[in-house]
Amino acid sequence: MDNKGLCQDCGAYVAQRAAACPTCGSHKLLYHSELFDLSIAHVDCDAFFASIEKRDNPELADKPVIIGGGRRGVVAAACYNARVYGVRSAMPMFKALKACPEAVVISSSLANYAYEGKRIKKLMGELTPLVQSLSIDEAFLDLTGTERLHGVAPAVTLIKLQQRILREIGVTVSVGLSYNKFLAKTASDLDKPNGFAVIGRAEALDFLAPKPVGFIYGVGPAFSRSLKKSGIITIADVRTRSDSHMMQKFGEAGLRLARLARAEDFRAVKSTNIRKSISTETTFDRDIGDQEELTDKLWQVCVKTADRAKAKNMAGGVITLKLKSRHFKTVTRRRTLAEPTQLADTIFQTCLPLLGAELLDKKNGKSTGQKFRLIGAGLSQLCAPNGDSGDLLDPKASLRRRAERASDIARGKFGKDAVIIGRSLNKKPRPK
Amino acid sequence: MKFSMERAALLGALGHVQNVVERRNTIPILSNVLMSADNGSINFVATDLDIEISESTSADVAIAGDVTAPAHTLYDIARKLPDGAEVSLSVGSDGRLEVDAGRSHFVLPLLPAGDFPKMTADDFTHNFALGAAELARLLDKTKFAISTEETRYYLNGIYFHAVAPEAGSAHGKLRCVATDGHRLALCEMAAPDGTDGLPGVIIPRKTIAELRRLIDGLSETVEISVSEAKIRFKVGSAVLTSKLIDGTFPDYDRVIPKDGDKKLVIDNGVFASAVDRVSTISAEKSRSIKLTLEGDNLTLAVNNPEHGNAREDLMVDYGAENLEIGFNAKYLLDVTTQIEARDVHFSLSDPASPALVTDPEDDGALFVLMPLRV
């Protein structure tokens, strides 16, 4: 093929040394000798939360936008305008506002972001079954062998995906394309935002060599310091040491680093992340300290968790209660069950004494008067839903179990609210 | 204090008491054993504040006195000394314990005997005696069902109580019950004299384990004394005193199914090994195993999406309608170990109701198993 490049804006093939795309006239052209041979990609949304907010409110388009909670919180995301001022993710809010006082601060609406994130993942899923989600807004895609299916090389497929996400979701994404996951993830960071970067086999080693070790994902400041003590500063320095030396000196992490330094990463893109837990939490409109009211909220999250466990046909052997105080202090209390459950009643009955203990001052046995902003209930140590044998000593529990199973059947037929227990109605407006 | 005795006697006495001493203690003196030498005998006492075990043995006492020394260390020394050695223990001029045997010499730190916590003697209201073997049977057939769930502390032991004589019978029963909510085990025997009006008590798990060690293989009688808060077992020269669990044991009688109309009889050994084989597959926590009964055929099956499947057919004696019911494989195995007869009897009613398991040759023992959803 004579055409050695691609137009980043329309995905058209362009000839070597073209000044502009003959199809759309764009100057964003992509050339790489391995462009049509690489098929492992990392796709990462650009300032995802901020981009969603900007999309929903065009007035914000040119303003610096910071997503984060309250004065006490940290920056969850900052748009590129804000980043110019030095605002970064995970920076304390007061620091961010000092750096950029005119920033528009928006509290995050995670449910909305999660929804949009899922839509993006769905678009990815149409291209290949091998989509491995890393977080709400990034994923690895293995497009190996999809050329015959889509009629175009993976690079073209990715440019089309980039355009489709911009068109249908309204946010930009950056793509990294290479021959393994480590390099693909590295590449996606090189040309942000709305970028497309390629790292091929030919230049991978030279590209990495002068970079500091901290450039590698998973090598933090502490690990960098201990490497520095051994005279290892750049990735090239790592290559001068043998694998066994790195393993002896720095353990498992050292060996991983030695391999990545040679751009060796044989991990496959896996589409199914094994689910470790099922949980639900809810943040209240206002802080709640009343035990009865918290108990009502607890029941709601237990039902949701149980519903999700049943939908996934799983049960869990460990139950976790999560509470966040109004000072954002999170406590989790867990209990291992004698046998796994997926029933709302069991989750609720297990959490109830844990909740009670949190509300009680252990010293004087009186209520602490503590108020909470969030409650959650989760199941972990998941397994197949055998079990729930019932309790010999609590025949009412067995009845409640049977009632729950029966009402689940009705709810399956007539909708989630077809059968609810009285507790769910507390403090809820009556249906008109 | 100074005394000497044969190594075997020292090892025996320490062996009985040292096990109650916790490996890690926040209160230093609880790591020690109290030794009181007087009138040609030594009394050894160890405690964890909930259980106290003492043992007396004769010795050649030169100077009477009380000391406390590290229990595990002393026991290990006695264990490692050659058989037949004469061991001499004495308090040295520097206030430490000197242990001499043959050419071995040990010096151990001591703590004052006055600081050793002695369990207060209660007014024991009921006194009776049981054969060690009879007591062992009561414990063995029930202790496996003791709960480990700390929130239900009242289930963390065996409920030991007397049952009034049934109509037409002269004698009442002495009964032990343990349950963890998923299974229940009950074992009883004809009540010995002195148990009339015996209050029901819950004996903690650790006490059961210590007691079982103490009476293992013995045929002597065990004298038992019970008060509201404590129980005391006396066997030979050893005395075990324990606090009781302060709680109410649930009304277990209504848990025992009485209306199981589907009778199943299986050769116990064949059943146990089949359950064991099939459950190889079930690595999961629930270890659930499905029993399918059709006529005289019983199919044991484990289905596990990750680990595979297993199936085994057994010939059984079953005349009732077809039934599918699941159980925890471990619980089934625990129960089959307690059956002494060739066959095991199951009474079942439906897949969600508890099963009653009995031993055709021992009507003093019964077991209840809660089924699992399969």
Side-chain angles (χ1 to χ4, degrees), chain B residues 91-355:
Chain B
V91 179
S93 53
D94 59 352
R96 295 198 288 176
L97 183 70
E98 299 191 1
V99 183
D100 288 283
R103 304 174 73 173
S104 310
H105 179 68
F106 302 87
V107 180
L108 300 179
L110 293 173
L111 287 170
D115 294 351
F116 194 83
K118 289 282 268 181
M119 204 171 259
T120 52
D122 269 41
D123 294 331
F124 290 105
T125 51
H126 289 76
N127 299 290
F128 53 97
L130 286 184
E134 292 172 304
L135 181 59
R137 170 179 166 268
L138 288 178
L139 303 182
D140 287 345
K141 294 212 171 185
T142 49
K143 69 176 194 240
F144 69 93
I146 299 175
S147 170
T148 49
E149 219 181 308
E150 280 171 28
T151 46
R152 294 208 213 172
Y153 60 93
Y154 49 85
L155 298 182
N156 297 163
I158 289 181
Y159 183 48
F160 188 86
H161 59 297
V163 184
E166 284 171 34
S169 159
H171 286 286
K173 303 275 190 194
L174 186 64
R175 188 182 280 175
C176 282
V177 180
T179 178
D180 61 6
H182 304 290
R183 59 239 173 105
L184 175 142
L186 179 153
C187 187
E188 63 185 13
M189 58 178 283
D193 291 338
T195 54
D196 288 347
L198 179 75
V201 295
I202 308 169
I203 311 172
R205 162 202 300 283
K206 188 176 173 188
T207 308
I208 300 290
E210 289 304 325
L211 175 62
R212 192 60 191 80
R213 279 167 42 87
L214 212 56
I215 62 173
D216 198 33
L218 297 184
S219 53
E220 305 170 58
T221 49
V222 182
E223 289 170 45
I224 305 175
S225 309
V226 180
S227 76
E228 217 164 85
K230 288 200 185 91
I231 191 161
R232 169 168 287 176
F233 301 89
K234 214 171 156 189
V235 50
S237 56
V239 180
L240 183 156
T241 312
S242 168
K243 288 185 186 164
L244 296 165
I245 293 176
D246 183 14
T248 310
F249 201 80
D251 173 15
Y252 62 86
D253 192 49
R254 58 185 172 80
V255 169
I256 299 168
K258 291 158 184 88
D259 50 358
D261 54 340
K262 302 186 176 67
K263 307 288 181 205
L264 165 68
V265 179
I266 322 175
D267 181 304
N268 188 49
V270 171
F271 180 61
S273 45
V275 168
D276 190 27
R277 264 193 299 277
V278 173
S279 67
T280 314
I281 296 297
S282 93
E284 286 198 358
K285 245 197 128 212
S286 70
R287 292 170 54 92
S288 89
I289 185 166
K290 186 163 86 176
L291 281 64
T292 307
L293 282 157
E294 284 169 357
D296 278 345
N297 187 62
L298 165 66
T299 306
L300 302 175
V302 170
N303 268 310
N304 189 313
E306 284 164 44
H307 299 102
N309 305 325
R311 227 185 72 144
E312 184 158 339
D313 291 312
L314 296 179
M315 279 295 290
V316 297
D317 185 359
Y318 180 73
E321 62 190 273
N322 295 354
L323 181 71
E324 272 189 12
I325 189 165
F327 290 104
N328 181 320
K330 181 180 177 295
Y331 296 172
L332 277 179
L333 288 175
D334 281 347
V335 165
T336 54
T337 342
Q338 303 309 327
I339 303 292
E340 287 161 28
R342 188 178 61 99
D343 292 336
V344 53
H345 285 199
F346 281 82
S347 303
L348 307 162
S349 51
D350 63 75
S353 302

Side-chain angles (χ1 to χ4, degrees), chain A residues 42-325:
Chain A
H42 179 251
V43 178
D44 189 13
C45 299
D46 304 317
F48 185 54
F49 298 176
S51 303
I52 296 284
E53 295 297 342
K54 288 199 176 193
R55 177 200 71 180
D56 295 344
N57 186 357
E59 276 178 30
L60 298 171
D62 299 323
K63 295 187 178 135
V65 172
I66 296 176
I67 312 296
R71 287 199 65 83
R72 273 193 291 244
V74 293
V75 175
C79 78
Y80 284 85
N81 293 339
R83 290 190 196 187
V84 172
Y85 294 88
V87 178
R88 294 284 177 269
S89 291
M91 192 183 244
M93 210 60 196
F94 73 92
K95 238 181 179 173
L97 286 174
K98 209 184 253 174
C100 180
E102 62 269 46
V104 180
V105 179
I106 301 170
S107 63
S108 58
S109 45
L110 275 177
N112 190 22
Y113 309 147
Y115 171 73
E116 298 296 349
K118 269 192 199 134
R119 282 178 65 199
I120 293 173
K121 299 280 161 63
K122 206 173 158 220
L123 296 183
M124 294 174 177
E126 289 176 15
L127 303 178
T128 168
L130 292 178
V131 177
Q132 181 178 356
S133 274
L134 284 186
S135 70
I136 191 168
D137 68 337
E138 57 177 320
F140 284 117
L141 278 74
D142 185 348
L143 292 162
T144 311
T146 60
E147 193 160 351
R148 293 278 296 271
L149 177 68
H150 299 307
V152 289
V156 182
T157 305
L158 287 164
I159 289 179
K160 295 208 160 135
L161 172 70
Q162 222 173 356
Q163 293 161 348
R164 193 168 170 203
I165 292 172
L166 182 59
R167 203 166 57 234
E168 294 184 15
I169 317 287
V171 300
T172 62
V173 299
S174 292
V175 177
L177 179 62
S178 190
Y179 59 92
N180 66 35
K181 287 185 0 181
F182 161 59
L183 290 172
K185 181 152 169 77
T186 305
S188 71
D189 246 359
L190 298 177
D191 186 26
K192 266 180 168 290
N194 199 18
F196 196 112
V198 181
I199 300 178
R201 289 172 205 273
E203 78 275 16
L205 288 177
D206 291 340
F207 166 78
L208 291 173
K211 299 279 190 291
V213 283
F215 184 77
I216 291 177
Y217 181 75
V219 179
F223 191 19
S224 293
R225 267 198 302 281
S226 57
L227 286 164
K228 197 175 171 186
K229 270 188 203 151
S230 305
I232 300 173
I233 295 162
T234 64
I235 294 175
D237 295 338
V238 179
R239 290 187 205 145
T240 62
R241 312 296 168 96
S242 70
D243 280 12
S244 52
H245 171 83
M246 291 296 287
M247 177 80 185
Q248 271 165 18
K249 199 118 201 221
F250 306 103
E252 208 62 56
L255 185 63
R256 172 179 173 269
L257 177 60
R259 290 193 173 143
L260 291 182
R262 293 193 302 268
E264 283 171 13
D265 179 6
F266 302 110
R267 293 169 302 160
V269 175
K270 280 186 211 143
S271 55
T272 44
N273 280 336
I274 294 168
R275 177 169 278 282
K276 295 228 173 80
S277 67
I278 297 171
S279 61
T280 318
E281 53 188 51
T282 178
T283 307
F284 316 134
D285 303 339
R286 57 189 169 74
D287 298 341
I288 300 176
D290 178 56
Q291 182 160 6
E292 264 306 297
E293 214 177 332
L294 282 168
T295 308
D296 292 341
K297 296 286 184 192
L298 175 65
W299 171 252
Q300 289 170 15
V301 289
C302 290
V303 169
K304 274 192 191 160
T305 301
D307 280 350
R308 292 171 62 187
K310 287 169 196 160
K312 290 186 167 38
N313 198 26
M314 293 185 121
V318 172
I319 288 176
T320 308
L321 170 75
K322 179 177 174 184
L323 285 165
K324 198 186 270 180
S325 79

Side-chain angles (χ1 to χ4, degrees), chain A residues 313 317 335-340 342 353 381-395 398 402 405, chain B residues 151-152 155 179 181-184 250 254-255 284-286 288 303 305 331 350 352-354 368 370-374:
Chain A
N313 198 26
R335 181 132 295 162
T336 305
L337 301 174
E339 50 191 39
Q342 58 169 199
Q381 278 200 14
L382 301 179
C383 60
N386 298 321
D388 281 324
S389 64
D391 191 335
L392 280 167
L393 305 171
D394 188 357
S398 300
R402 285 191 205 190
R405 293 280 177 207
Chain B
T151 46
R152 294 208 213 172
L155 298 182
T179 178
H182 304 290
R183 59 239 173 105
L184 175 142
R254 58 185 172 80
V255 169
E284 286 198 358
K285 245 197 128 212
S286 70
S288 89
N303 268 310
Y331 296 172
D350 63 75
S353 302
V368 182
M370 196 70 188
L372 288 173
R373 212 169 66 91
V374 284

